[in-house]
Each structure stands twice: as C-alpha cells, then as structure tokens.
Amino acid sequence: MAAPARRIHSNATPAKRTERAEDTREGSTRPALHVVKNGRAEASASRDRLQQFLEWTRSRTAPFLQIVVSSVFLVATLVIALGLRTQMASNSFESDQTENHIEQLQQDIQSDQTKLDSLQASLPQKAQDMGMVAQQDSVTIDLNGYQPSDGGK
Amino acid sequence: MRLWKRLVNAIGEFGAHSVLVMLVFAMVASTCIVRLVDVQLVNAKTYAQAAADTRTASVTIKANRGKIEDTNGTVLAQSVERYDIIGDAILAQQFKPVNCTAKKTKNCHSINGKPVGTTGAAAVARLISGLLGIDAKTLGAQLSTTSRYVVLKKNVSPEVKRKLDKLNLGWCVYARLSSVREYSNGTLMGSLLGGVNGQNTGVGGIEQMENKVLTGTDGSVTYQVGGGGQMIPGTQIDKKDEVDGSDVKLTIDADVDWYVKKALTDGINQFHADWGIAVVQDVQTGAILALEDSDQIEAGSAEAMQRASRAVAETFEPGSVGKVFSMAGMLQLGLHKMTDQFTVPSTITVDGQDYKDSHEHGTSNWTLAGILQQSSNVGMIMAADKYTNEERYEFIKKFGIGQASGMNLPAESSGWLTSPSSWDGRTRNTVLFGQGYSTNALQITNAIAVIANKGVKNQQYIIKSVTDAEGHTTTAKHGEATRVVDESVAAQMLNAMESVGEYYKNETGIPGYRIAAKTGTAQVPGANGALTSIVADWVGVLPADNPRFVVTVILKDPEGTFGGMTAGPVFKTIGEFLMQKYQVPASTPRTDAIPVTW
C-alpha cells in the first residue's frame, strides 16, 4: 500500500506532471493490500473501526491528508488535555472550598458542643440557684400489720 | 589581521563576515551544548532534586487530643480548634488601605463604614483592634518592629478568625491553627484533671496519667506547590492520615462529684475547717465515683498543673478509724470474738507509757464491739495483749495502708507505715488506734471497703474505659482482688461498725437506711510544726445491710473537733443524695446487733 510513495521518493529527478498524475492514478486505482483478519471472534468492533480508519489514511496517496489528520488529532489532544486540566483545577478548587466549608462546620459543631457541655455541667448549680433541692428522705410505706378493709375484697 | 585579509581575499568580504557570524553562533551553540550536558547529564539528578524540593511542600496535620468523660459520657475535658493571630510587621508598615466606595465594596478597607484614616502599622492596628479586643496603640507598637512574625493574640475562636479573613489583610495579618483544652466543669475535679502545656502534653492529674492514650499521632501531606504556595491540583505525593487520641472515660460520676463538692464546701463553711476531702467508692467494683477536695482550682490552670489533688496527695493519721484494721486482725487470728467482754477504765499504763480515752468515763463493761463503738484506746490496748507487733503490722499493711493505691495517679502519696522493728514502746500500742502511721483518703476508703465487701480487697480504679479514634472501646484492666479477712470476720466488723453508726444517728442518720461507720480524730502538725492541728474523719458504709458505697469525709481543723460531729453530717448529706440518685432500696430493720455492753 505504501508502494506509490516509495516510487515517488526514489526518483532522482522530479517526475513530469503527466507522469506523476499517472502514477497517482495508478496508485489510487490499485486496491490496497491488507491483512484480512477473517472476522476473528476476539476482534472488537472498535478495534476494527480504528484499523479501518488507519487503513483509510494509508490508502490515500497524498501525505497531506495524513498530516491534516495528525494535526487535527494533535490539536484535539491538546484541547482535551487543556480541558481536562482546567476541569481538574476547577474540581480541586471546589473540593478545597467544600473542605473549608466542612472544616468551618466542624469548628461550629465543636464550638456549640463545648457550649452545650458547659451548660450541662452548670445545670446542678443553676438548679440550686433557682432553689431546687434534691430529695433527701426515702419515701417508704410500712405495710407491717396492714389489714385490708372489707371494701377491698 | 593578516588572517582576516587572506580570508577576505579567498572568499570575499561577505563570505568572511558570514564565517565570522557562523563562528559566533558556533561558540554560543557550544556553550549551550556544554550547559545542556551539564544540566541533563552531569548534574541532572542534583538539579532535578533541587527543583522537586523547591516545589514540594510537606504539611503536618495535627491530631486532636482525646476527650476525658465521666462515667455517663459527660465531657469533662476536650480539645477545640483555635487560632493564633500572627502579624508581619514589615509588611504591615507598607500597608495602604483602599477606601471603600459605592462602586468598590470588595477588597477595600473601612472601619464601621468610615475610611481608615491612616496608613501603615497604625492602619492595620485600627482595623483589627476591635476584633481582637486589644488596644490599637498596643497593636500598633507590636507591628512597628522589624519582626516578620509577631504573635498578636493566641487562641482566638474560629468566628474571630473568619471575621479577620474578611478584612482583606491576609498578606500582613494571618492565622495559624492551634488548639486549646476546654474543661466544662470549672473547678470541679480541677487538680484531679490537671491540664496540658503549650506542647499539648498532659501536666498533672488525669491529663498526665493518661497522656500517652490521650495523645494522637500527627499525620502529614506532601504535595507540589505553585508560585503562590498553593497546592497544584493532582500533585499530592504522599499522605499519612492523622490518628486522633483516644477518649478516656472515668468512673467518676460528675453529678455525684458536684454534689460531694457542694456538701464538702458547705461543711467547710459550717464547721470553719481549713480544708476537706471526700471520696465515694463503689463497694462491689472498687470504682471511684467521686474524688473531691475543697480547693477551688480551675481545671487546666497553672495551679491545677502544679498542685495535686489533696485527695491523693494529702496524708494524715487515720486516728480511731485505724481500730477497724487492728480489731479485724485480732478476730482473724482468733485472738478474740466480737462478744468478748472487757472491763475498760478511762486510762491505762503499759510499759511505763500512759494511754487514755478521748473522753473520761468510769470503768465500763464493754464487749469488743462496745470498744469499737465507744472508740476506746484503752480497750484496744487491753484486747491486743496477745497481738504481736508483726501481726499488728501485717494487718495494717494487708488493708492497704502505707501502700500505693495502684491507680497511678500523679503525685499520689502512699503515706508511711514503718516496720515493727522500728516501733518504740509507745508506737506499738498507738498503731492499734490509728496513730504512728499515715494514710491518704483513697487508702482509708478502700480499707473500709474491704470490710463492706465481705473481707475482699478490690483494686481501686478511676479509668473505666478507653475508646480509640476508630471507636473501639477497651475496658481498663485492674489488679486482682485479694482476700484480707474471712467473710465472717468482715460481717462481725460491719456489725460493730453499724453500732457506731447508730451511736451517731442523730448527727449522721439517713432515714430509711442503716449505716456502718467509724469516726476518727488525729492530731497533726499545724503551721508551726507542733501537734496543734486536728484531722477529723468519718468513713461510712451504706446501706449497712447490703453495702453499695463507702464514703470518706475528712476535715482539717473543724470547729467541733470530733469526726462524728463534723465530718459525720457531711457524710449524711452525701449519703442521702447517693441513696436517692441510685434508687437504693430502703434497709430492712436491724435484728442481729452484737451487744456492746455486758
């Protein structure tokens, strides 16, 4: 499939316009040779497509198309890499903001919890200040010698 | 010049100039190649390492110190995040505020909507003065130095730090994360909890004792930084997570401890005592439920770190409480029964030494139980005529007197108990009634708990459990329980002690509950070193029919002198609270009292 190109480059002197055109035609009319995998079970569809694409680019006689495709691929790769990089930075920034927010909330929780613990600890003192007194005597009922009344039967 | 002319002749002037330019280019290219070889091959590793070092930053992630909680999970001590506010004086002096206008409302500076009115350190000081609560002149002076690191205020709250961030002074005033230890209960258990120093290391009390467990392991994160010091996304090289310290749960019940402190403080005021100590111990487990003294020391303060709790550090002669240990020894050895009868005078002379009871009385017919009830020194000496010095020592020691409590509390004093070989003719008899050796409040509490716990001495403990950062709880290990006297001996002693409780029922009786107790009064050195001071103590078991708690109350120099009259009423107040709080069933009437007289 690369035969026409080799022929063009192997010429010591530039070919005439007509000759070159004939060569190009000849190259384009000759079917490109390629390995037919005979549809083996393990070949995936995407791989086939990539293979077809590569073969299509190689079947072109002019290297211009290959250069264009390569350039487009290169630019696309750069743009995608730039996009990914930007997205990463954006995600990192958001993540940093979220972490800061979580940290703030944790500090708030910690602060409120400390206040609550302190208030809980001061409860007995506040109860005492309000005049509340712990019960001192046990309440007992002495049933010794208890006689149920008739009405209780 | 000749070479140049020959060259011009050979290839013309243009050619010669071209060669000259080519030579210059060749030299530059050679230099570049040499440098390239140096950078890429010869010193490649060094330069790569230097570059990596320049853009790599490693930041320590501080681990939080664990909490200290009471037995119910109430937080007693915890670490909270705070910030130290740092100023760069050099940059502060270059500060020029940007006035806020209707159009420019962000990244500008104003004080209550008005322009700052000045520049440099004075402007920075004016802007942050209100927020930090520090006089602007003081701050201005601090920022007028040549220091690039001036600590303006320590331990400010996150709220203040956030407000500071909004002042747009980040380039000359910034915050550094720190932490502070907060104690919820103020003076409650102040010196028992201790505190932490600037390095977050426990100093004094539980903080020191459990420092290893409470301290976490710091983590770190290593990443590459940009020119402004910010992390380059996706460049984290290494991260080691921090491990927070474990939480320590005490056996102390903060509610009980609060009430004990209140009762103690009221008792101190009522009897005008110098100081007081109170301990509440669970009889069946040996857990300490309350450990208080009358000192009003804020937990975490410098005083709390320097001064140990009196409850563990103060030692004193137990006085007549010591009769319990000697009498139990006599019963255990079979030298006497509790019903043995004695005719006890008010004084006695042995080996030329005179001994007398605390109060004068006529010659009395008391049983051994009666001797304990009346707290007769003379009776104890009479009963101990066949009780050898070694036996006297052995039983005092077996009850844990003069021995470390095993709780490993910092600054705990073991008291002292000398060997019988060093006893003189008087000491061998005074040890029978609690003089000639000393103890601390924890020891004497556990010694009486032996009687309440059917003759078995439990290991006291104050650490209930430890919960690590992942939530795994480990119950603290305690020492083995040991039998000191037989169950029957303990029962007889408890019975006799209940007669003591009944004797003082007007002062210490708790309606509905039977109590067993022993009171003591001992002379101790006063401020001048002479035996001019008094320590009055009361150790009670309640309820006597099914012992749940041992409560010890000790007062120094109370008005009223005797333990039963001073420490006893404080015990009563604490006892009433305990019975109500733990909903202890009322006692059954006493039917098996051992006679105290004959």
Side-chain angles (χ1 to χ4, degrees), chain B residues 559-589:
Chain B
E559 279 180 9
T561 306
F562 298 109
M565 301 296 171
T566 56
V570 179
F571 161 84
K572 171 189 161 82
T573 311
I574 296 169
E576 284 171 347
F577 178 79
L578 289 173
M579 295 300 99
Q580 293 300 316
K581 177 171 172 61
Y582 292 102
Q583 299 178 341
V584 179
S587 299
T588 52

Side-chain angles (χ1 to χ4, degrees), chain B residues 21-97:
Chain B
V21 171
M22 280 171 66
L23 278 173
V24 170
F25 273 107
M27 279 173 69
V28 171
S30 304
T31 311
C32 290
I33 288 168
V34 169
R35 185 77 183 127
L36 193 67
V37 168
D38 177 50
V39 170
Q40 293 288 353
L41 297 175
V42 181
N43 290 314
K45 273 190 178 178
T46 313
Y47 285 119
Q49 187 62 46
D53 289 348
T54 308
R55 64 173 187 271
T56 304
S58 188
V59 176
T60 302
I61 308 169
K62 286 274 181 192
N64 285 324
R65 189 174 173 84
K67 295 177 191 165
I68 300 177
E69 301 170 341
D70 85 337
T71 190
N72 302 315
T74 302
V75 176
L76 303 174
Q78 62 187 319
S79 290
V80 290
E81 288 187 351
R82 288 287 181 268
Y83 290 92
D84 293 342
I85 306 300
I86 315 296
D88 184 328
I90 303 283
L91 292 177
Q93 287 157 32
Q94 296 165 11
F95 174 66
K96 284 181 185 168

Side-chain angles (χ1 to χ4, degrees), chain A residues 85 88-89 92-93 103-105 107-108 110-111 113-115 117-118 120-122 124-126 128 134-140, chain B residues 64 74-75 78-81 83 158-159 162 177 182 184-185 232-234 255 258-259 262 266 510-513 576-577 580 586:
Chain A
R85 194 82 177 160
M88 265 175 72
S92 175
F93 182 71
E103 197 179 313
Q104 274 193 14
L105 289 173
Q107 285 177 338
D108 288 345
Q110 207 177 46
S111 179
Q113 187 64 47
T114 310
K115 215 176 281 177
D117 291 336
S118 183
Q120 272 182 339
S122 65
Q125 187 62 48
K126 284 189 175 155
Q128 193 200 4
Q135 188 179 334
Q136 291 175 334
D137 294 347
S138 61
V139 178
T140 55
Chain B
N64 285 324
T74 302
V75 176
Q78 62 187 319
S79 290
V80 290
E81 288 187 351
Y83 290 92
E159 287 82 9
R162 281 175 219 164
L177 187 66
E182 291 276 354
S184 315
N185 297 54
I232 299 171
D255 286 345
W258 178 86
Y259 197 84
K262 177 186 173 297
D266 291 348
I510 299 171
Y513 297 95
E576 284 171 347
F577 178 79
Q580 293 300 316

